[in-house]
Amino acid sequence: MKILIVGGVAGGASAAARLRRLDEKAEIIMFEKGEYISFANCGLPYFIGGDIKEKEKLTLQTPESFNARFNVDVRTMNEVVSVNPAQKSVSVLNRKTGEPYTEKYDKLILSPGAAPIVPNFEGSSGDRIFTLRNIPDTYKIKDFITNNHPKSAVVVGGGYIGIEMAENLHQAGLDVTIVELLDHVIGPIDFDMACDVHNHIESKGVHLYLEDGVKSIRHNANSLDVVLNSEVIHTDMLIMAVGVKPDTTLAKDAGLTVNGRGCIVVDEHMLTSDADIYAVGDAVEVTDFMTNAKGFIPLAGPANKQGRIAADNICGIDSKYKGTQGTAILKCFDMTVACTGLNERAAKIAGVDYEKSYTYSASHASYYPGAVNMSVKLVFEKKTGKVLGAQIVGFDGVDKRCDVIATAIRANMTIQDLTELELSYAPPYSSAKDPVNMAGYVAENILSGRTKIFHWHDVASIDPETSILLDIRTTYEFDNGFIQGSINIPLDSLRHHLKELDSKKTIYVICQVGLRGHVACQILRQNGFDCTNLSGGYRLYTSVFGKKKVKNYSDDINSHGSKKSDNAVNIAQSDKIDNKRVDLHAGKTELGKTVDNTKKEGIFNEETQNFTVNRISVDATGLQCPGPIMSLSKALKEANVHDIIEISTTDPAFASDAEAFCRRTGNTFISLVSSKGISTATIEKGKKEAVDIVEASECRNKASQVVPEYNNKNIIVFSGDLDKAIASFIIANASAAMGRKVSMFFTFWGLNILRKPEKINVKKDIISKMFGMMMPRGSKKLTLSKMNMGGMGAKMIRMVMKNKNVDSLEQLILASIDNGVELVACTMSMDVMGIKEEELIEGIKLGGAAAMLANAEESDMSLFI
């Protein structure tokens, strides 16, 4: 039997290897129009980024090695240009010699793969525009970076290749921007799960434009202008990663049946409409395992399986391909994103009556070091509980859990089956209740009716006249961010204050991730209340919308329009201090002593003539300003001089806060490192006792905490008026010119001075969008505090300044940055005002109260403007 295979890589190479194992006598010829027959397609971006350093690592098999192992006639640089099914022959062009020739076949396997899509807009091709499909593409990109030293790159498309290319270009030292036409990256996952990915991408310094597209590209001498719907991006190079299309010209010209998308139609044996031609890999139409719908899902795993199945059938083995469920995984910097089965959009399109659940589980036992939560979204059928799909975003252990659920889907298992799975457990690897079990438990509670749920997208439609939004987190958590209109009664106080709740209203319960909300609902339900729990909790809500804060809880009227009872106010106020104390001591601070406890730790040992140093770990992840600083303060109080504190946090303002805190308290800030979403600061306790900002009034009575005088200048800019902004920067620049260290802390309306003038495409909730529309966007939109006259006053002031050769406000801002003035944006005010970091001009630091207070204490002048 003579078998011809067109195309190598995953499908063709696996078919050739399987054929030889089944039939030692068959004549097998494999054609590849390029130079390489089997290469690590999925590893190409990592060669560009430098993780894979040797070119040879990308080539899995050479023609010589493949022939030696499998006795296959491998013909690289030989392009099959046409197929003649009637003659059972193919026409081939030898690209080395230019010689055409013909080969006959008994059976033919087509494995042409998929080609990158290049949109048809002005300027879409050029020597600075690249796609990535094969090894030559990879070398071309790598060589361009090596030889031209580009400083920036735009990646068009936020799919798998787009994200991987963005990461690796960033790792190669480029300033990277991703442009994605949809509202989220990584199409196979849902928007709500992608929000964590968006935040992570931006935290790495990669710019992200969502719901934006490229209109055209202008080519300059040594750069490109990428014209988007919203603005123009100047860049040195561009990667097209908008997707792929089946490369099926050969099949179409041969008269084989293709679908509307151009995919080769095959049956379950991988047989085309011709009885002697098979097709495998990214070019073929597949059947969705869950819905039986036809589709196009180009993945390496299915391609390998299909190659094997085609070979089996050619050799007389009845082997069938039973569908693709779309199991995939992606490395996004140090984050992992995985999915399998149906996402929510696909379930809706298929008309499935489904429900969803969200869980947040640690990668391994929380008491064992290094545990980090993963977000799990489970989609399941309401009637039967059948598992339909899952999406997981996190760090360690994501792959394992996705594969377990993928196996459960393939076996048609239900959420009940997930609860019963016996999975391997040891503290470094998992918990006794594995994240897969936990997802099953939560879904089971929902289907059984033990917990009614509502979702993040339901909050806006809740009627405040007939409902109560009840946040049952601790007051410390509540103070750090809450959903507008919610009231706070901590879970542990709930039973004692049920009388303060209106039993005629539906109670919508909110906790951090949904777990405590389930407990609260059981208490409320069994006491006669109608209640429902926020699935995924405040954690998911803020991932989608960002943190929302409303009036202080001590206000008389909440945003539901109903007056709070005095008792309810007292609940929050009386529990507030105790709850903070308990959280910091038991929930977030874990002191791990690493030396012999029989020694006097952290003090000078006369016998050994050395200090014995204790290393203390503090977990402040999940806390926002001032939570991490409070945790650090408490740990320092319990430590001895020279002890090392390692505090982990997810608060973006903590770096500047911790450094400032150490300066004013006599401790030493050693380092700050970030890994897998967690920043860890290392601090050495100094001789001066640290200040506890919760008990700051005690400082006044401690002579040891008197701070020496400094001549720094501290300016707190509260106003967003043009005249006051100009005065602030004139003072700041004058002080800097005198050699003084100047810090400007922008809070509330003052933040508008620092906003970029152009609209920035970032996700916001409705309230934040309204704030954004009402507030001036940048310094040029500021008005005068007096005599503004509908904007005429501001224009007149600017004209007078120009005529008098006085620098404009924008010039003063740039001069202040050049002069080393520290511009700090208050993160708490940013949350309240709905301003995102991406909307601020370059050169701005994020900081909190601790950074501002430290600068004030080191200054001989503090101005509040």
Side-chain angles (χ1 to χ4, degrees):
M1 185 186 306
K2 184 177 181 180
I3 306 159
L4 304 185
I5 302 173
V6 181
V9 196
S14 63
R18 178 67 170 174
L19 282 168
R20 178 56 71 216
R21 287 193 292 267
L22 294 175
D23 187 349
E24 183 64 24
K25 303 298 183 182
E27 180 184 358
I28 306 171
I29 304 175
M30 183 161 60
F31 300 95
E32 173 57 53
K33 66 180 179 180
E35 187 178 349
Y36 305 92
I37 59 153
S38 181
F39 56 90
N41 206 325
C42 298
L44 300 182
Y46 300 100
F47 176 74
I48 294 169
D51 283 342
I52 300 173
K53 301 187 183 305
E54 301 172 16
K55 291 183 176 181
E56 295 74 18
K57 298 289 186 182
L58 297 175
T59 307
L60 303 179
Q61 290 277 1
T62 65
E64 294 75 20
S65 66
F66 204 83
N67 177 265
R69 176 66 56 86
F70 298 109
N71 190 25
V72 172
D73 182 1
V74 179
R75 300 181 186 177
T76 58
M77 302 300 292
N78 277 249
E79 181 180 2
V80 175
V81 295
S82 65
V83 176
N84 187 342
Q87 302 297 323
K88 297 183 66 173
S89 68
V90 299
S91 297
V92 187
L93 174 66
N94 187 323
R95 299 178 69 183
K96 296 177 183 177
T97 65
E99 176 190 359
Y101 65 96
T102 301
E103 284 285 353
K104 291 276 192 177
Y105 65 81
D106 295 312
K107 299 292 181 182
L108 175 66
I109 300 177
L110 297 179
S111 180
I117 296 172
V118 178
N120 185 25
F121 51 69
E122 181 184 350
S124 60
S125 62
D127 57 4
R128 290 177 176 267
I129 299 176
F130 306 88
T131 58
L132 182 65
R133 182 189 187 188
N134 51 37
I135 288 182
D137 292 343
T138 308
Y139 292 165
K140 187 177 179 182
I141 296 170
K142 183 77 168 178
D143 290 344
F144 181 85
I145 294 172
T146 301
N147 298 329
N148 294 273
H149 309 289
K151 290 183 168 44
S152 60
V154 169
V155 177
V156 181
Y160 293 118
I161 293 296
I163 298 299
E164 290 174 345
M165 281 303 304
E167 174 189 347
N168 283 280
L169 289 170
H170 181 270
Q171 185 165 313
L174 280 73
D175 182 28
V176 180
T177 299
I178 300 173
V179 179
E180 171 54 55
L181 189 60
L182 300 178
D183 64 355
H184 70 284
V185 299
I186 313 174
I189 68 174
D190 291 317
F191 168 76
D192 46 21
M193 294 299 286
C195 288
D196 274 353
V197 185
H198 300 161
N199 296 334
H200 191 69
I201 289 171
E202 291 175 326
S203 76
K204 298 297 182 180
V206 172
H207 314 288
L208 182 60
Y209 287 76
L210 297 173
E211 295 183 279
D212 210 342
V214 179
K215 296 172 64 177
S216 64
I217 300 175
R218 297 196 293 259
H219 293 254
N220 307 314
N222 296 303
S223 63
L224 302 170
D225 288 329
V226 184
V227 182
L228 307 182
N229 294 325
S230 62
E231 62 179 278
V232 178
I233 301 175
H234 189 74
T235 188
D236 296 330
M237 63 183 296
L238 182 143
I239 308 292
M240 287 289 186
V242 297
V244 296
K245 58 184 178 181
D247 189 357
T248 53
T249 302
L250 271 179
K252 293 175 185 176
D253 292 347
L256 301 180
T257 302
V258 298
N259 66 14
R261 190 167 184 169
C263 302
I264 304 171
V265 176
V266 294
D267 65 11
E268 59 188 355
H269 302 289
M270 308 311 301
L271 187 63
T272 69
S273 54
D274 185 285
D276 295 309
I277 302 177
Y278 294 78
V280 301
D282 293 348
V284 306
E285 177 187 77
V286 296
T287 301
D288 188 296
F289 178 78
M290 305 304 302
T291 65
N292 289 321
K294 301 299 182 181
F296 174 59
I297 308 176
L299 293 169
N304 275 279
K305 295 176 181 65
Q306 291 162 5
R308 179 186 176 94
I309 289 168
D312 282 353
N313 284 283
I314 289 173
C315 295
I317 299 173
D318 185 17
S319 185
K320 298 178 182 179
Y321 186 69
K322 299 179 180 178
T324 300
Q325 66 190 70
T327 304
I329 193 165
L330 171 70
K331 177 181 179 290
C332 178
F333 293 92
D334 49 353
M335 175 178 273
T336 303
V337 183
C339 60
T340 186
L342 295 183
N343 57 34
E344 193 174 350
R345 301 188 312 280
K348 287 179 180 177
I349 293 171
V352 179
D353 187 18
Y354 72 94
E355 184 55 275
K356 58 189 175 184
S357 66
Y358 304 90
T359 52
Y360 298 91
S361 302
S363 53
H364 57 251
S366 58
Y367 57 82
Y368 188 86
V372 181
N373 278 358
M374 64 182 75
S375 307
V376 182
K377 179 176 183 178
L378 195 66
V379 181
F380 49 93
E381 195 173 44
K382 280 185 179 180
K383 183 177 180 180
T384 64
K386 180 181 176 181
V387 181
L388 301 175
Q391 300 156 49
I392 310 179
V393 177
F395 298 93
D396 292 339
V398 168
D399 52 345
K400 169 184 175 180
R401 276 66 187 213
C402 184
D403 287 345
V404 169
I405 298 176
T407 304
I409 291 173
R410 185 62 64 160
N412 291 310
M413 295 171 71
T414 66
I415 56 173
Q416 176 67 39
D417 295 321
L418 296 186
T419 69
E420 297 172 357
L421 288 176
E422 184 177 338
L423 303 173
S424 57
Y425 160 62
Y429 302 104
S430 184
S431 299
K433 293 178 181 177
D434 189 86
V436 174
N437 298 135
M438 289 302 300
Y441 292 140
V442 171
E444 185 183 47
N445 283 334
I446 293 169
L447 280 195
S448 66
R450 282 188 284 273
T451 297
K452 291 194 296 183
I453 61 169
F454 67 109
H455 295 292
W456 57 268
H457 47 75
D458 299 324
V459 173
S461 61
I462 294 174
D463 183 0
E465 298 299 322
T466 60
S467 310
I468 297 173
L469 277 174
L470 175 62
D471 193 315
I472 54 87
R473 296 175 299 155
T474 65
T475 51
Y476 182 72
E477 292 172 286
F478 185 78
D479 287 345
N480 274 281
F482 48 89
I483 296 176
Q484 183 178 2
S486 59
I487 64 172
N488 177 225
I489 302 177
L491 176 60
D492 293 344
S493 305
L494 182 59
R495 290 184 179 89
H496 305 295
H497 299 285
L498 294 175
K499 293 181 180 179
E500 279 80 27
L501 298 173
D502 188 345
S503 61
K504 296 179 181 178
K505 293 186 175 182
T506 300
I507 299 178
Y508 290 84
V509 177
I510 304 159
C511 74
Q512 189 64 18
V513 299
L515 181 60
R516 283 174 288 173
H518 173 68
V519 176
C521 277
Q522 303 317 304
I523 295 172
L524 291 165
R525 183 173 58 82
Q526 294 177 49
N527 281 278
F529 292 91
D530 179 23
C531 63
T532 181
N533 185 28
L534 178 59
S535 182
Y538 185 72
R539 161 69 174 78
L540 176 62
Y541 186 87
T542 52
S543 175
V544 174
F545 292 113
K547 183 182 293 185
K548 297 179 69 175
K549 288 189 177 183
V550 292
K551 296 179 181 179
N552 290 332
Y553 192 73
S554 57
D555 292 348
D556 289 335
I557 305 296
N558 66 21
S559 56
H560 280 175
S562 59
K563 187 174 177 64
K564 289 185 272 193
S565 69
D566 292 337
N567 286 335
V569 173
N570 289 334
I571 293 168
Q573 291 176 341
S574 63
D575 287 352
K576 192 170 186 178
I577 300 300
D578 286 343
N579 281 331
K580 282 188 177 181
R581 176 180 56 78
V582 171
D583 281 352
L584 289 174
H585 179 71
K588 287 294 179 187
T589 303
E590 184 178 347
L591 304 181
K593 299 186 181 289
T594 59
V595 297
D596 186 351
N597 288 327
T598 61
K599 297 179 181 178
K600 295 181 179 179
E601 298 169 350
I603 61 175
F604 189 72
N605 188 302
E606 296 288 349
E607 182 178 348
T608 63
Q609 294 294 299
N610 285 313
F611 279 100
T612 304
V613 177
N614 185 30
R615 188 171 291 270
I616 300 169
S617 296
V618 181
D619 181 6
T621 54
L623 296 179
Q624 298 296 322
C625 175
I629 287 294
M630 295 173 68
S631 298
L632 175 58
S633 175
K634 183 181 186 301
L636 284 166
K637 278 193 167 187
E638 297 181 0
N640 295 306
V641 175
H642 299 301
D643 279 354
I644 300 297
I645 313 294
E646 291 181 344
I647 178 167
S648 300
T649 177
T650 53
D651 179 16
F654 180 71
S656 56
D657 279 4
E659 191 171 4
F661 179 87
C662 290
R663 288 202 313 268
R664 73 182 178 90
T665 56
N667 300 293
T668 302
F669 184 86
I670 298 173
S671 65
L672 181 81
V673 295
S674 297
S675 176
K676 297 187 176 181
I678 298 176
S679 297
T680 302
T682 303
I683 292 144
E684 179 182 352
K685 178 166 180 176
K687 292 183 179 179
K688 191 189 306 181
E689 185 175 354
V691 179
D692 187 333
I693 64 174
V694 180
E695 302 169 347
S697 60
E698 296 178 8
C699 299
R700 303 187 185 98
N701 301 319
K702 295 181 180 179
S704 62
Q705 291 174 337
V706 175
V707 179
E709 293 186 1
Y710 296 90
N711 60 5
N712 299 341
K713 310 301 176 188
N714 185 50
I715 304 174
I716 302 166
V717 185
F718 178 86
S719 172
D721 296 326
L722 174 62
D723 45 333
K724 295 177 182 178
I726 292 170
S728 300
F729 278 96
I730 289 174
I731 295 170
N733 282 310
S735 300
M738 295 173 62
R740 303 293 188 257
K741 179 181 181 297
V742 184
S743 175
M744 301 181 73
F745 186 80
F746 295 82
T747 184
F748 284 93
W749 310 113
L751 289 169
N752 292 314
I753 302 170
L754 305 180
R755 292 180 72 190
K756 293 177 180 176
E758 68 272 14
K759 183 180 179 181
I760 304 301
N761 190 18
V762 291
K763 283 293 177 182
K764 290 187 178 184
D765 55 82
I766 295 175
I767 300 298
S768 296
K769 286 182 179 178
M770 292 176 62
F771 264 119
M773 289 187 290
M774 293 185 292
M775 294 188 302
R777 184 181 292 124
S779 57
K780 291 185 178 180
K781 299 293 185 181
L782 302 182
T783 59
L784 291 178
S785 60
K786 297 181 184 296
M787 298 188 299
N788 187 55
M789 298 180 292
M792 287 300 299
K795 292 180 179 179
M796 291 170 62
I797 285 288
R798 287 183 177 273
M799 182 176 66
V800 170
M801 291 175 67
K802 182 178 180 180
N803 292 336
K804 298 291 185 181
N805 290 320
V806 178
D807 285 345
S808 68
L809 174 57
E810 293 70 40
Q811 291 170 319
L812 290 169
I813 293 172
L814 291 175
S816 71
I817 296 174
D818 291 340
N819 290 332
V821 175
E822 182 182 57
L823 307 183
V824 183
C826 174
T827 53
M828 182 278 291
S829 298
M830 289 173 64
D831 283 336
V832 174
M833 308 297 284
I835 296 176
K836 302 290 187 179
E837 182 179 358
E838 299 88 340
E839 296 180 273
L840 302 180
I841 61 176
E842 300 299 325
I844 306 301
K845 293 177 62 176
L846 301 184
M852 183 273 292
L853 291 172
N855 288 322
E857 290 182 358
E858 296 173 358
S859 301
D860 61 359
M861 180 185 78
S862 285
L863 296 179
F864 187 89
I865 299 176

